[in-house]
Amino acid sequence: MSEARKRLSELARLVGGKVVGDGGVEIERVRSIEEAGAGDITFLTHPRYRSHLKSCKASAIIVGPDLPLPESLPPGRGYLQVSQPYVAFAKILTVFSPPLQYDRQISRQTTIDPSAFLGKGVTVFPHVYVGRGVKVAGGSVLFPGVFLGDGVEVGEECVLYPQVTIREGCRVGNRVILHAGVVIGSDGFGYAGEGKKRIKIPQVGTVEIEDDVEIGANTTVDRATLGRTIIGHGTKIDNLVHIAHNVVVGERSLIVAQTGIAGSTRIGKEVILAGQVGVVNHIEIGDRARIGPQSGVPHSVPPGAWLSGGIAAAPHKEWLKVMALLPRLPKLWSAVRRLELKVAELARRAGKGGKVHARR
Amino acid sequence: MSEARKRLSELARLVGGKVVGDGGVEIERVRSIEEAGAGDITFLTHPRYRSHLKSCKASAIIVGPDLPLPESLPPGRGYLQVSQPYVAFAKILTVFSPPLQYDRQISRQTTIDPSAFLGKGVTVFPHVYVGRGVKVAGGSVLFPGVFLGDGVEVGEECVLYPQVTIREGCRVGNRVILHAGVVIGSDGFGYAGEGKKRIKIPQVGTVEIEDDVEIGANTTVDRATLGRTIIGHGTKIDNLVHIAHNVVVGERSLIVAQTGIAGSTRIGKEVILAGQVGVVNHIEIGDRARIGPQSGVPHSVPPGAWLSGGIAAAPHKEWLKVMALLPRLPKLWSAVRRLELKVAELARRAGKGGKVHARR
Amino acid sequence: MSEARKRLSELARLVGGKVVGDGGVEIERVRSIEEAGAGDITFLTHPRYRSHLKSCKASAIIVGPDLPLPESLPPGRGYLQVSQPYVAFAKILTVFSPPLQYDRQISRQTTIDPSAFLGKGVTVFPHVYVGRGVKVAGGSVLFPGVFLGDGVEVGEECVLYPQVTIREGCRVGNRVILHAGVVIGSDGFGYAGEGKKRIKIPQVGTVEIEDDVEIGANTTVDRATLGRTIIGHGTKIDNLVHIAHNVVVGERSLIVAQTGIAGSTRIGKEVILAGQVGVVNHIEIGDRARIGPQSGVPHSVPPGAWLSGGIAAAPHKEWLKVMALLPRLPKLWSAVRRLELKVAELARRAGKGGKVHARR
């Protein structure tokens, strides 16, 4: 955290909010609602934590527009009421924790091909490898262990954390963040069977990561067989995700941890794929669709759809019974169908003497 | 892509196919069916793309034997009819995109133990670590950040991409490709409980990767507790796969992304495990078995079996209802069984006055 | 394996067991039950391998207290009977395979900030990066490619395998093992939406890994938004696991491969999460709870509960039918409910002429 110190009223101006209580109180830190004390600002974005409000000792609390606030507050305490508390929280956090500054130096313990171009203010840590014809635009940071293959292009103000690999010919836009261990441009998984032998299909395409993308630790994005695998503008990808060859992800989508997307599938704009989702190859997921955690997606999904397929874990012994019966679901349907026919026949015959009324 | 340029008839000879149309047309590139134009050859391997055939502007199209072709074609256009289009595609792609050539130099910015042996034509990039007694056979390539622990052996013509770790004593055969971030020989997950304390079981075995194996980015293969974890000849493994200690995978199997195989399990030959499959420990999956995506495999599987267990995501609101009812499946079965008995009794009694015929 | 050589009776004393047979036989190696021969000790911990007992040629076998043993044994053969065979196996394995010794040298091909402190007997391999103000306590080992960001603290006798990344400000206790490719302290996945733009929430917290934790290859542990992500004392985590920001894992828990835990969730003590489990955010899993493989956990779990949600793969064609019917489960319930009502009505009417008895 930095040495910043702001009055609550200044913060309110910054985020476009309203002060309830003491606008003059000085804030020097952001802390969680359980830990915050004097000099701290905290936030209430999740209703789950509302119970902490009363005991909270923070000098200020960021709240949404709907929360009923107390009529009077002691001096040195205030609320900051905003329309989007989470956005205000993010902005205020940036005030007190500005981005790390790098030394804009090129380490000598690094390997940079003479044909590579590094823009103004680029930081290159030791043990980095930069191949032939690579271009890295101004202000970007290459942490130790980063590998940029021949012909790679990286835009402005990117941060590539340790051990990031970008293979030959792949392109990364501006303000992209690649977390430690990310692999961009590994070969797609493609083989042609010829008798007992499998022939590797050369993967000669590339990957294009557009502006403002962030990709989580140890995620892998395979290069296209032909053409490009594309991650669209502003899309955010979590840790340990697998993006196969020729996948195209649209703009501003969110892909949560451990999800896998198989080859040539197209994901639309502003799509949300929750954690551990699996999407098969050669399908389309429409714009703004939303897929729940652990779901399998075997068919194309229309725009705006909200699908789920995850199963809530149940007590083990009961689950064993459920599992034993699940494969017999078709038999159960047949049994019910047979019963329906029999009951209809019985009712028909009984009906000779009067109508059957089922109580509802 | 290279500067290669071939007549369609030459390509037909190369892959054992038949030209329909202009065999003299010159091809200089392979492109996807949507993008291909004059001078390009493209392919139709997936029926999904058949609709693109008419509008396709490629000079040549690789097709299978069953596709009805037009009777006449304008000059400068042709079809290449083959029995296995995907194999032909792979071969032709190799003509136009030959494998990258490496400089066969040993970087000085690397750390190689004097006792290590590097064969003829080995390429070692900077920032590589090669331990005591390591052997790397002719033509292999070690990218930046590769770690070869003491006693590791790597065969001929292997490619180890950036940040690959092979721990002490593990062996890799010939023509093996390990993608960026692969870990071979990490400790298996084994502990013995003694009271509250867990004792780590030393993992003193190794890993053996046989010839012609390819392993995807950030996949991990644990060393055996005793003996060896084995990946058989020609097996191909995708990204982010977990292979536990003492697993044995047979020859020419395919293991798709994010699948996990627990300890001591044996996978046969030519097995296919689709994406995100989980296989428990101490079981056997027979030769040529095939397991669908996201399936859990809790028991041994006979040779040739085709199993699935993945669930297709459904509209969220409907899925909530399904999920609420799934744990009550045993109750539903009981209800149906009770109904069957009651209906039989009713029918028996009604039968006194005539037989019940269910319409089928 | 080392050159150790022990009599069976010595081993029995070491692990607190009883010799049945020849206590004088000399043991020089531990091998699996299939491979063991003269001079070897092996073990029978899993009943599955009991059939191997008769053909086993090992000089000694570690067995549990309940196994019926033969009345007489030839000289040079013995059983070592113990209460916990797996613990005895671990201890004896440590005798014959003592931990690797490191040279306790600091490589010159490494980058260590002058403000960093390295304790006595620390080993630093080449190509390591140690940032400002880092502290590494005595006896720890940093393998090639390790990255320690500014202000990182690592305790005594830790082993950090190749390519491990620990980002700024994170702390690791004593005797911690981090396998190759582990990432500690990557940014949590947090964004606030403002119109079409997503604002990154700065992730300014850290990670604390307590003593005696072991973390598997390519696992990722994200730093907290505020405060700390915590992995408790003695907890063991397998490969390719995802731990999100602000998660707290208690002591001595086991988290098996490819499991993911979403943000702010609290996992208790001695919890077991099997492979490929997914746990949602903001919940609690109580002490000693146990979650079966591939389960999804959407709600808090009480202490001691045993939950499962994984589905066993079934023959593909049958599974297709099950899958088609699963979304229609609510309709099936309705059909059964309607039948129950109709049958009750029929029975009531038939009852005028006599009671319906369902045979049970």
Side-chain angles (χ1 to χ4, degrees):
Chain A
M1 297 253 175
S2 75
E3 304 300 309
R5 188 181 276 256
K6 300 271 176 192
R7 292 188 187 281
L8 180 53
S9 53
E10 293 177 82
L11 295 175
R13 230 170 294 132
L14 180 78
V15 301
K18 181 185 147 194
V19 172
V20 175
D22 184 350
V25 62
E26 281 203 332
I27 305 297
E28 44 187 317
R29 206 160 47 167
V30 186
R31 288 179 97 178
S32 74
I33 199 160
E34 294 100 325
E35 295 177 318
D40 295 340
I41 189 166
T42 189
F43 61 110
L44 183 79
T45 54
H46 199 296
R48 224 176 287 241
Y49 299 106
R50 199 168 284 188
S51 62
H52 291 287
L53 262 192
K54 279 203 179 148
S55 60
C56 178
K57 300 208 166 16
S59 294
I61 306 180
I62 306 167
V63 296
D66 303 325
L67 196 78
L69 296 180
E71 294 197 5
S72 72
L73 278 165
R77 302 291 288 274
Y79 285 88
L80 173 49
Q81 206 169 38
V82 293
S83 57
Q84 293 186 287
Y86 215 44
V87 171
F89 166 64
K91 287 181 178 169
I92 290 172
L93 200 44
T94 307
V95 169
F96 293 104
S97 303
L100 294 178
Q101 294 304 310
Y102 300 100
D103 65 6
R104 295 164 172 263
Q105 304 294 312
I106 313 291
S107 162
R108 288 185 189 175
Q109 277 188 275
T110 214
T111 306
I112 300 178
D113 192 272
S115 64
F117 169 81
L118 302 182
K120 207 174 161 184
V122 164
T123 302
V124 183
F125 279 77
H127 319 307
V128 165
Y129 178 89
V130 176
R132 280 186 286 265
V134 167
K135 288 178 190 156
V136 179
S140 285
V141 179
L142 309 181
F143 268 88
V146 164
F147 170 86
L148 303 183
D150 294 347
V152 162
E153 296 185 20
V154 174
E156 293 177 8
E157 303 291 338
C158 293
V159 181
L160 277 55
Y161 282 104
Q163 334 298 354
V164 163
T165 290
I166 306 183
R167 286 218 1 229
E168 68 278 9
C170 295
R171 291 171 58 185
V172 168
N174 301 308
R175 297 171 304 279
V176 168
I177 301 171
L178 302 180
H179 285 283
V182 161
V183 178
I184 304 292
S186 37
D187 287 1
F189 193 66
Y191 306 92
E194 185 172 47
K196 291 258 163 175
K197 215 181 150 188
R198 292 191 198 283
I199 296 178
K200 177 176 171 69
I201 313 232
Q203 303 289 312
V204 304
T206 61
V207 176
E208 174 131 11
I209 310 284
E210 296 182 354
D211 293 350
D212 297 304
V213 166
E214 179 164 1
I215 301 185
N218 285 344
T219 281
T220 63
V221 182
D222 280 353
R223 65 197 309 115
T225 309
L226 297 172
R228 294 174 301 165
T229 304
I230 298 173
I231 308 296
H233 188 143
T235 281
K236 312 296 185 185
I237 301 179
D238 202 349
N239 297 348
L240 294 166
V241 167
H242 164 67
I243 310 278
H245 47 182
N246 290 88
V247 165
V248 176
V249 180
E251 302 177 7
R252 294 181 303 281
S253 288
L254 293 178
I255 303 179
V256 183
Q258 296 176 320
T259 283
I261 304 175
S264 300
T265 279
R266 302 179 82 91
I267 309 287
K269 292 185 208 174
E270 295 166 26
V271 168
I272 298 176
L273 305 180
Q276 298 185 336
V277 162
V279 183
V280 302
N281 58 6
H282 289 287
I283 67 168
E284 290 196 26
I285 297 195
D287 295 348
R288 280 169 288 281
R290 181 173 168 184
I291 313 291
Q294 293 195 320
S295 305
V297 185
H299 304 297
S300 287
V301 173
W306 181 7
L307 303 189
S308 290
I311 291 178
H316 180 69
K317 281 187 186 170
E318 291 169 39
W319 186 251
L320 287 182
K321 290 180 208 162
V322 175
M323 278 306 89
L325 294 174
L326 194 57
R328 293 163 67 196
L329 203 51
K331 281 190 186 161
L332 185 62
W333 274 93
S334 305
V336 171
R337 182 76 187 123
R338 273 197 308 276
L339 278 170
E340 284 174 333
L341 295 169
K342 279 187 191 167
V343 168
E345 172 66 12
L346 285 167
R348 195 185 55 76
R349 291 214 274 140
K352 283 167 191 166
K355 224 180 159 191
V356 171
H357 291 284
R359 272 160 299 160
R360 288 266 175 148
Chain B
M1 297 251 175
S2 76
E3 304 299 309
R5 189 182 276 253
K6 299 272 175 191
R7 289 187 189 283
L8 180 55
S9 53
E10 293 177 83
L11 294 176
R13 230 170 294 131
L14 180 78
V15 301
K18 181 186 147 195
V19 172
V20 176
D22 184 350
V25 63
E26 283 203 328
I27 305 297
E28 43 186 317
R29 207 159 49 166
V30 186
R31 288 179 96 178
S32 74
I33 199 159
E34 294 101 325
E35 296 177 318
D40 297 339
I41 189 166
T42 188
F43 61 110
L44 184 77
T45 54
H46 199 296
R48 223 177 288 239
Y49 300 105
R50 198 168 285 185
S51 62
H52 291 287
L53 261 192
K54 278 201 179 148
S55 60
C56 178
K57 300 207 164 19
S59 294
I61 306 179
I62 307 167
V63 296
D66 302 326
L67 194 79
L69 296 180
E71 294 197 2
S72 72
L73 277 165
R77 304 289 289 270
Y79 285 88
L80 173 50
Q81 205 169 40
V82 293
S83 58
Q84 292 186 289
Y86 215 44
V87 170
F89 165 65
K91 287 181 179 170
I92 289 172
L93 199 45
T94 307
V95 170
F96 293 104
S97 304
L100 294 178
Q101 295 304 310
Y102 300 100
D103 65 7
R104 295 163 173 265
Q105 304 294 312
I106 314 290
S107 162
R108 288 187 188 173
Q109 280 188 274
T110 214
T111 306
I112 300 178
D113 192 272
S115 64
F117 169 81
L118 302 182
K120 207 175 161 183
V122 164
T123 302
V124 182
F125 279 77
H127 319 308
V128 164
Y129 178 90
V130 176
R132 280 185 286 264
V134 166
K135 289 178 189 156
V136 180
S140 286
V141 179
L142 310 181
F143 268 88
V146 164
F147 170 85
L148 303 183
D150 294 348
V152 162
E153 296 185 19
V154 174
E156 292 177 9
E157 303 292 338
C158 292
V159 180
L160 277 55
Y161 282 104
Q163 336 295 356
V164 164
T165 290
I166 306 183
R167 287 224 353 236
E168 68 277 8
C170 296
R171 291 172 57 186
V172 168
N174 301 308
R175 296 171 305 280
V176 168
I177 302 171
L178 302 181
H179 286 283
V182 161
V183 178
I184 304 292
S186 36
D187 288 0
F189 193 66
Y191 305 92
E194 186 173 44
K196 291 258 162 175
K197 215 181 150 188
R198 293 190 197 284
I199 297 178
K200 178 175 170 70
I201 312 232
Q203 304 288 312
V204 303
T206 61
V207 175
E208 174 129 12
I209 309 283
E210 295 182 356
D211 294 349
D212 298 304
V213 166
E214 179 164 1
I215 301 185
N218 284 345
T219 280
T220 63
V221 182
D222 282 352
R223 64 197 311 115
T225 308
L226 297 172
R228 294 174 300 164
T229 303
I230 299 173
I231 308 295
H233 188 143
T235 281
K236 312 297 185 185
I237 301 179
D238 203 347
N239 296 350
L240 294 166
V241 168
H242 164 67
I243 310 278
H245 46 181
N246 290 88
V247 165
V248 176
V249 180
E251 302 177 6
R252 294 182 304 282
S253 288
L254 292 178
I255 303 179
V256 183
Q258 297 176 318
T259 283
I261 304 175
S264 299
T265 279
R266 303 178 81 91
I267 309 287
K269 292 186 208 175
E270 296 168 27
V271 168
I272 299 176
L273 304 180
Q276 299 184 334
V277 162
V279 183
V280 302
N281 58 4
H282 289 286
I283 67 169
E284 290 196 26
I285 297 195
D287 296 347
R288 280 169 290 280
R290 180 175 170 183
I291 312 291
Q294 294 194 318
S295 304
V297 186
H299 304 297
S300 287
V301 173
W306 181 7
L307 303 189
S308 291
I311 290 179
H316 180 71
K317 281 186 186 172
E318 292 170 38
W319 186 250
L320 287 182
K321 291 180 207 161
V322 174
M323 277 307 88
L325 295 173
L326 193 58
R328 292 164 65 197
L329 204 51
K331 282 191 186 160
L332 185 62
W333 273 94
S334 306
V336 170
R337 182 75 188 124
R338 273 196 308 274
L339 279 170
E340 283 173 333
L341 294 170
K342 279 188 190 165
V343 168
E345 171 66 10
L346 285 168
R348 194 183 56 74
R349 291 213 275 139
K352 284 168 190 166
K355 223 179 159 190
V356 172
H357 291 285
R359 272 159 299 159
R360 288 266 175 147
Chain C
M1 297 252 177
S2 76
E3 303 300 310
R5 190 180 274 254
K6 300 272 177 193
R7 290 187 190 283
L8 180 54
S9 53
E10 294 178 82
L11 294 176
R13 229 171 295 132
L14 179 78
V15 301
K18 181 185 146 194
V19 172
V20 175
D22 184 350
V25 62
E26 281 203 332
I27 305 298
E28 44 186 317
R29 206 159 50 165
V30 186
R31 288 180 95 178
S32 75
I33 199 159
E34 294 101 323
E35 296 176 319
D40 297 339
I41 190 167
T42 189
F43 61 109
L44 183 79
T45 54
H46 199 297
R48 225 176 287 241
Y49 300 105
R50 199 168 284 187
S51 62
H52 291 286
L53 262 192
K54 279 203 177 148
S55 60
C56 178
K57 300 208 163 18
S59 294
I61 306 180
I62 306 166
V63 296
D66 303 324
L67 196 79
L69 296 179
E71 294 197 2
S72 72
L73 278 165
R77 303 289 289 271
Y79 285 89
L80 172 50
Q81 206 169 38
V82 293
S83 57
Q84 293 187 288
Y86 215 44
V87 171
F89 165 64
K91 288 182 178 169
I92 289 171
L93 199 45
T94 308
V95 169
F96 293 105
S97 302
L100 294 178
Q101 295 304 311
Y102 300 99
D103 64 8
R104 295 164 172 263
Q105 303 294 311
I106 313 290
S107 163
R108 288 186 188 174
Q109 280 190 272
T110 214
T111 305
I112 300 178
D113 191 272
S115 65
F117 169 80
L118 302 182
K120 207 174 161 184
V122 164
T123 302
V124 183
F125 279 77
H127 318 309
V128 164
Y129 178 89
V130 176
R132 280 186 286 263
V134 167
K135 288 178 190 157
V136 180
S140 286
V141 180
L142 309 181
F143 268 87
V146 164
F147 170 85
L148 303 183
D150 294 348
V152 162
E153 296 185 20
V154 174
E156 292 177 9
E157 303 291 337
C158 292
V159 181
L160 276 55
Y161 281 105
Q163 335 297 355
V164 164
T165 290
I166 306 183
R167 287 222 356 233
E168 69 278 8
C170 295
R171 292 170 56 185
V172 168
N174 300 307
R175 297 171 305 278
V176 167
I177 302 172
L178 301 181
H179 285 284
V182 161
V183 178
I184 304 292
S186 36
D187 288 0
F189 193 65
Y191 305 92
E194 185 174 45
K196 290 259 162 174
K197 216 180 151 188
R198 291 189 198 284
I199 296 178
K200 177 175 171 70
I201 312 232
Q203 304 288 312
V204 304
T206 63
V207 176
E208 174 130 12
I209 310 283
E210 296 182 355
D211 294 349
D212 298 303
V213 166
E214 180 164 2
I215 301 185
N218 284 345
T219 280
T220 62
V221 182
D222 281 352
R223 66 195 309 114
T225 308
L226 296 173
R228 294 174 299 164
T229 303
I230 299 173
I231 309 295
H233 189 144
T235 281
K236 312 296 186 184
I237 301 179
D238 201 349
N239 297 348
L240 293 167
V241 168
H242 164 66
I243 310 278
H245 47 182
N246 289 88
V247 165
V248 176
V249 181
E251 302 178 7
R252 293 182 305 281
S253 288
L254 292 178
I255 302 178
V256 182
Q258 296 176 320
T259 283
I261 304 175
S264 300
T265 279
R266 303 178 81 91
I267 309 287
K269 292 186 207 175
E270 295 166 29
V271 167
I272 299 177
L273 305 180
Q276 299 184 337
V277 162
V279 182
V280 302
N281 57 5
H282 289 286
I283 66 169
E284 290 196 27
I285 298 195
D287 296 347
R288 279 169 291 281
R290 181 174 169 184
I291 312 292
Q294 294 195 319
S295 304
V297 185
H299 304 297
S300 287
V301 173
W306 181 8
L307 303 190
S308 290
I311 291 178
H316 180 70
K317 281 186 187 171
E318 292 170 38
W319 186 251
L320 287 182
K321 290 180 208 160
V322 174
M323 277 307 88
L325 295 174
L326 193 57
R328 292 164 67 197
L329 203 52
K331 281 191 186 160
L332 185 61
W333 273 93
S334 306
V336 170
R337 183 75 188 124
R338 273 196 307 275
L339 278 170
E340 284 173 333
L341 295 169
K342 278 187 191 166
V343 167
E345 171 67 10
L346 285 168
R348 194 183 56 76
R349 292 213 275 139
K352 285 168 189 165
K355 224 181 160 189
V356 172
H357 292 284
R359 272 160 298 161
R360 289 260 175 150

